[in-house]
Amino acid sequence: MTVLAYHLTGYRRTWRSGVFSSFLLPTLTVLGFGLGVGGYVDQGVNGVPYLEWIVPGLLASTALQVATAESTFPVFANFQWTRSYTAQNAAPLRVGDILAGHLAFVLFRAVTASAAFLLVTTLLGAVASAWAVLTLPVVALLALAVAAPTFGYAAAVSSDSWLAMLFRFAVIPMTLFAGVFFPVESLPGGLRHLAYATPLWHAVDLCRAAMLGAPPQWSVPGHLLYLAAWAVGGWALAVRRFRRRLVV
């Protein structure tokens, strides 16, 4: 709780800078893709209007991008530039406390950004089901599944150039090909299986099922267990990397 309070205190002074990304960008994205591109998709997707079909994917990808952004450069900076982790480690805090507190803040950022996106899209009439509220625990689990291994990755790299590579070769391709903008089934076989392996596709499928009131393509327990496996494995990796950097 102490580490989480530290990050929240800092966020109190910077939260205004996130208003643009939390409210205006979702609005522009929905208008650009949902209405702009969707105007050319006459049949919708599987009988669902393109605007309603794309919003769940955009919601999940928002959580993915916020969680990744908060788990890369901030973590790297706390090791290499500001040395905040070193100072926290000198206090009566364990490595698990430092890691859990920062991860809790990342979850807070991802869920609040997703809630803002959900609010905006609801006001725009792009959300038709009250079950959409169930997407928030889904995006929280997705954020943890993404943030935990990213913490381990950011703790292991020696240059911030590796963080830019993570966005270029993992986050952007995942966003483009994991079912956010078009059905994964339209991809070639090899790429389709890669998309199924990403945590984003599992969250997109769950969010789309909740917001459209339709069954997911895969089982709900299977989706949740897969995301939980990413979170648990990422936690183990992050704890190992943090201990290697902080425990002498």
Side-chain angles (χ1 to χ4, degrees):
M1 291 298 294
T2 302
V3 178
L4 174 60
Y6 162 78
H7 290 288
L8 289 175
T9 300
Y11 185 64
R12 285 173 56 189
R13 294 168 171 80
T14 61
W15 67 269
R16 293 174 183 83
S17 62
V19 172
F20 175 80
S21 59
S22 296
F23 289 93
L24 185 56
L25 281 183
T27 303
L28 295 177
T29 303
V30 170
L31 293 176
F33 283 98
L35 297 179
V37 177
Y40 295 95
V41 186
D42 297 330
Q43 303 297 325
V45 180
N46 298 325
V48 177
Y50 188 70
L51 176 61
E52 295 181 14
W53 188 88
I54 196 177
V55 163
L58 292 174
L59 174 67
S61 68
T62 296
L64 167 77
Q65 293 168 19
V66 171
T68 306
E70 293 288 344
S71 305
T72 46
F73 288 96
V75 173
F76 184 84
N78 284 344
F79 277 117
Q80 298 283 5
W81 301 330
T82 64
R83 305 283 183 176
S84 298
Y85 286 150
T86 303
Q88 292 171 1
N89 191 51
L93 291 171
R94 298 170 297 179
V95 170
D97 299 327
I98 297 171
L99 179 58
H102 199 170
L103 272 175
F105 175 72
V106 173
L107 290 184
F108 166 79
R109 286 282 292 113
V111 172
T112 52
S114 299
F117 183 95
L118 188 60
L119 174 63
V120 169
T121 51
T122 300
L123 293 176
L124 290 174
V127 177
S129 173
W131 292 105
V133 69
L134 295 179
T135 60
L136 293 180
V138 172
V139 297
L141 183 56
L142 170 66
L144 183 60
V146 171
T150 305
F151 266 61
Y153 177 82
V157 298
S158 57
S159 169
D160 58 349
S161 298
W162 290 98
L163 304 179
M165 292 178 64
L166 178 67
F167 281 93
R168 182 173 301 174
F169 296 109
V171 176
I172 294 177
M174 197 187 312
T175 302
L176 293 176
F177 301 111
V180 175
F181 300 102
F182 57 87
V184 171
E185 292 74 23
S186 61
L187 291 171
L191 289 177
R192 188 185 313 156
H193 293 301
L194 286 176
Y196 290 149
T198 64
L200 179 58
W201 176 80
H202 294 267
V204 168
D205 194 33
L206 286 173
C207 290
R208 190 161 283 142
M211 297 182 78
L212 297 180
Q217 296 184 32
W218 207 32
S219 70
V220 173
H223 282 311
L224 297 177
L225 287 174
Y226 188 78
L227 292 172
W230 271 82
V232 172
W235 170 266
L237 173 65
V239 168
R240 180 180 178 184
R241 294 297 184 182
F242 270 55
R243 281 178 178 165
R244 183 173 296 181
R245 294 291 298 272
L246 296 176
V247 178
V248 179

